[in-house]
PDB file of all heavy atoms in Angstrom:
ATOM      1  N   GLY A 172      -9.715  13.520 -37.105  1.00  0.00           N
ATOM      2  CA  GLY A 172      -8.360  14.157 -37.254  1.00  0.00           C
ATOM      3  C   GLY A 172      -8.437  15.561 -37.683  1.00  0.00           C
ATOM      4  O   GLY A 172      -7.503  16.356 -37.548  1.00  0.00           O
ATOM      5  N   ALA A 205     -15.444  -9.385 -12.407  1.00  0.00           N
ATOM      6  CA  ALA A 205     -15.547 -10.681 -11.560  1.00  0.00           C
ATOM      7  C   ALA A 205     -14.237 -11.057 -10.987  1.00  0.00           C
ATOM      8  O   ALA A 205     -14.186 -11.853  -9.978  1.00  0.00           O
ATOM      9  CB  ALA A 205     -15.986 -11.807 -12.499  1.00  0.00           C
ATOM     10  N   ARG A 228       0.920 -17.910 -23.565  1.00  0.00           N
ATOM     11  CA  ARG A 228       0.168 -18.668 -22.548  1.00  0.00           C
ATOM     12  C   ARG A 228       1.014 -19.081 -21.361  1.00  0.00           C
ATOM     13  O   ARG A 228       0.595 -19.036 -20.296  1.00  0.00           O
ATOM     14  CB  ARG A 228      -0.570 -19.915 -23.230  1.00  0.00           C
ATOM     15  CG  ARG A 228      -1.644 -19.618 -24.216  1.00  0.00           C
ATOM     16  CD  ARG A 228      -2.388 -20.802 -24.599  1.00  0.00           C
ATOM     17  NE  ARG A 228      -3.375 -20.545 -25.522  1.00  0.00           N
ATOM     18  CZ  ARG A 228      -3.369 -20.902 -26.879  1.00  0.00           C
ATOM     19  NH1 ARG A 228      -2.179 -21.509 -27.232  1.00  0.00           N
ATOM     20  NH2 ARG A 228      -4.265 -20.481 -27.816  1.00  0.00           N
ATOM     21  N   LYS A 236      -0.477 -17.757 -11.456  1.00  0.00           N
ATOM     22  CA  LYS A 236      -0.126 -18.602 -10.264  1.00  0.00           C
ATOM     23  C   LYS A 236       0.242 -17.770  -9.092  1.00  0.00           C
ATOM     24  O   LYS A 236       0.272 -18.302  -7.933  1.00  0.00           O
ATOM     25  CB  LYS A 236       1.036 -19.478 -10.657  1.00  0.00           C
ATOM     26  CG  LYS A 236       0.585 -20.717 -11.544  1.00  0.00           C
ATOM     27  CD  LYS A 236       1.862 -21.556 -11.836  1.00  0.00           C
ATOM     28  CE  LYS A 236       1.354 -22.595 -12.849  1.00  0.00           C
ATOM     29  NZ  LYS A 236       2.608 -23.537 -13.246  1.00  0.00           N
ATOM     30  N   ALA A 275       2.610  -8.935 -37.460  1.00  0.00           N
ATOM     31  CA  ALA A 275       4.116  -9.212 -37.572  1.00  0.00           C
ATOM     32  C   ALA A 275       4.798  -8.155 -36.759  1.00  0.00           C
ATOM     33  O   ALA A 275       4.219  -7.301 -36.167  1.00  0.00           O
ATOM     34  CB  ALA A 275       4.468  -9.064 -39.018  1.00  0.00           C
ATOM     35  N   PRO A 324      -5.284  11.683 -11.362  1.00  0.00           N
ATOM     36  CA  PRO A 324      -6.136  12.140 -12.469  1.00  0.00           C
ATOM     37  C   PRO A 324      -5.355  12.602 -13.689  1.00  0.00           C
ATOM     38  O   PRO A 324      -6.047  12.924 -14.740  1.00  0.00           O
ATOM     39  CB  PRO A 324      -6.906  13.275 -11.794  1.00  0.00           C
ATOM     40  CG  PRO A 324      -6.050  13.844 -10.746  1.00  0.00           C
ATOM     41  CD  PRO A 324      -5.350  12.589 -10.201  1.00  0.00           C
ATOM     42  N   THR A 335      19.209   8.483 -24.833  1.00  0.00           N
ATOM     43  CA  THR A 335      20.199   8.668 -25.827  1.00  0.00           C
ATOM     44  C   THR A 335      20.537  10.209 -25.912  1.00  0.00           C
ATOM     45  O   THR A 335      19.748  11.025 -25.407  1.00  0.00           O
ATOM     46  CB  THR A 335      19.649   8.272 -27.304  1.00  0.00           C
ATOM     47  OG1 THR A 335      18.514   9.146 -27.614  1.00  0.00           O
ATOM     48  CG2 THR A 335      19.382   6.906 -27.334  1.00  0.00           C
ATOM     49  N   HIS A 346      15.133  -3.277 -36.296  1.00  0.00           N
ATOM     50  CA  HIS A 346      14.140  -4.194 -36.839  1.00  0.00           C
ATOM     51  C   HIS A 346      14.598  -5.209 -37.877  1.00  0.00           C
ATOM     52  O   HIS A 346      13.905  -6.096 -38.111  1.00  0.00           O
ATOM     53  CB  HIS A 346      12.956  -3.353 -37.370  1.00  0.00           C
ATOM     54  CG  HIS A 346      13.374  -2.500 -38.594  1.00  0.00           C
ATOM     55  ND1 HIS A 346      14.040  -1.347 -38.475  1.00  0.00           N
ATOM     56  CD2 HIS A 346      13.203  -2.732 -39.901  1.00  0.00           C
ATOM     57  CE1 HIS A 346      14.300  -0.840 -39.603  1.00  0.00           C
ATOM     58  NE2 HIS A 346      13.801  -1.657 -40.504  1.00  0.00           N
ATOM     59  N   ARG A 356      14.387  -2.015 -45.584  1.00  0.00           N
ATOM     60  CA  ARG A 356      14.492  -0.600 -45.438  1.00  0.00           C
ATOM     61  C   ARG A 356      14.833  -0.196 -43.997  1.00  0.00           C
ATOM     62  O   ARG A 356      14.600  -1.025 -43.034  1.00  0.00           O
ATOM     63  CB  ARG A 356      13.291   0.001 -45.756  1.00  0.00           C
ATOM     64  CG  ARG A 356      12.045  -0.387 -44.922  1.00  0.00           C
ATOM     65  CD  ARG A 356      10.730   0.252 -45.363  1.00  0.00           C
ATOM     66  NE  ARG A 356       9.537   0.001 -44.504  1.00  0.00           N
ATOM     67  CZ  ARG A 356       9.216   0.680 -43.601  1.00  0.00           C
ATOM     68  NH1 ARG A 356       9.795   1.878 -43.176  1.00  0.00           N
ATOM     69  NH2 ARG A 356       8.007   0.346 -42.908  1.00  0.00           N
ATOM     70  N   LEU A 361      11.285  10.217 -37.334  1.00  0.00           N
ATOM     71  CA  LEU A 361      11.830  10.983 -36.169  1.00  0.00           C
ATOM     72  C   LEU A 361      11.952  10.022 -34.964  1.00  0.00           C
ATOM     73  O   LEU A 361      10.954   9.202 -34.629  1.00  0.00           O
ATOM     74  CB  LEU A 361      11.035  12.140 -35.874  1.00  0.00           C
ATOM     75  CG  LEU A 361      11.613  13.076 -34.821  1.00  0.00           C
ATOM     76  CD1 LEU A 361      12.991  13.725 -35.213  1.00  0.00           C
ATOM     77  CD2 LEU A 361      10.553  14.271 -34.546  1.00  0.00           C
ATOM     78  N   LEU A 382      -5.411   9.173 -23.038  1.00  0.00           N
ATOM     79  CA  LEU A 382      -4.534  10.135 -23.922  1.00  0.00           C
ATOM     80  C   LEU A 382      -4.147   9.469 -25.112  1.00  0.00           C
ATOM     81  O   LEU A 382      -4.125   9.891 -26.230  1.00  0.00           O
ATOM     82  CB  LEU A 382      -3.408  10.497 -23.085  1.00  0.00           C
ATOM     83  CG  LEU A 382      -2.205  11.465 -23.683  1.00  0.00           C
ATOM     84  CD1 LEU A 382      -2.939  12.736 -24.257  1.00  0.00           C
ATOM     85  CD2 LEU A 382      -1.075  11.666 -22.955  1.00  0.00           C
ATOM     86  N   SER A 405       5.866   6.377 -26.433  1.00  0.00           N
ATOM     87  CA  SER A 405       6.651   7.349 -25.621  1.00  0.00           C
ATOM     88  C   SER A 405       6.467   8.757 -26.213  1.00  0.00           C
ATOM     89  O   SER A 405       6.211   9.715 -25.574  1.00  0.00           O
ATOM     90  CB  SER A 405       7.988   7.026 -25.326  1.00  0.00           C
ATOM     91  OG  SER A 405       8.183   5.865 -24.610  1.00  0.00           O
ATOM     92  N   MET A 406       6.555   8.805 -27.515  1.00  0.00           N
ATOM     93  CA  MET A 406       6.514  10.111 -28.312  1.00  0.00           C
ATOM     94  C   MET A 406       5.115  10.677 -28.062  1.00  0.00           C
ATOM     95  O   MET A 406       4.806  11.881 -27.961  1.00  0.00           O
ATOM     96  CB  MET A 406       6.982   9.972 -29.660  1.00  0.00           C
ATOM     97  CG  MET A 406       8.521   9.758 -29.782  1.00  0.00           C
ATOM     98  SD  MET A 406       9.093   9.452 -31.502  1.00  0.00           S
ATOM     99  CE  MET A 406       8.917  11.122 -32.133  1.00  0.00           C
ATOM    100  N   PRO A 442      22.225   7.119 -17.987  1.00  0.00           N
ATOM    101  CA  PRO A 442      23.307   8.137 -17.779  1.00  0.00           C
ATOM    102  C   PRO A 442      23.287   8.766 -16.357  1.00  0.00           C
ATOM    103  O   PRO A 442      22.206   8.973 -15.816  1.00  0.00           O
ATOM    104  CB  PRO A 442      23.081   9.285 -18.918  1.00  0.00           C
ATOM    105  CG  PRO A 442      22.231   8.479 -19.853  1.00  0.00           C
ATOM    106  CD  PRO A 442      21.449   7.558 -19.182  1.00  0.00           C
TER     107      PRO A 442
END
Side-chain angles (χ1 to χ4, degrees):
R228 291 191 185 107
K236 290 177 181 177
T335 60
H346 61 287
R356 65 184 178 93
L361 185 65
L382 176 63
S405 298
M406 291 177 71

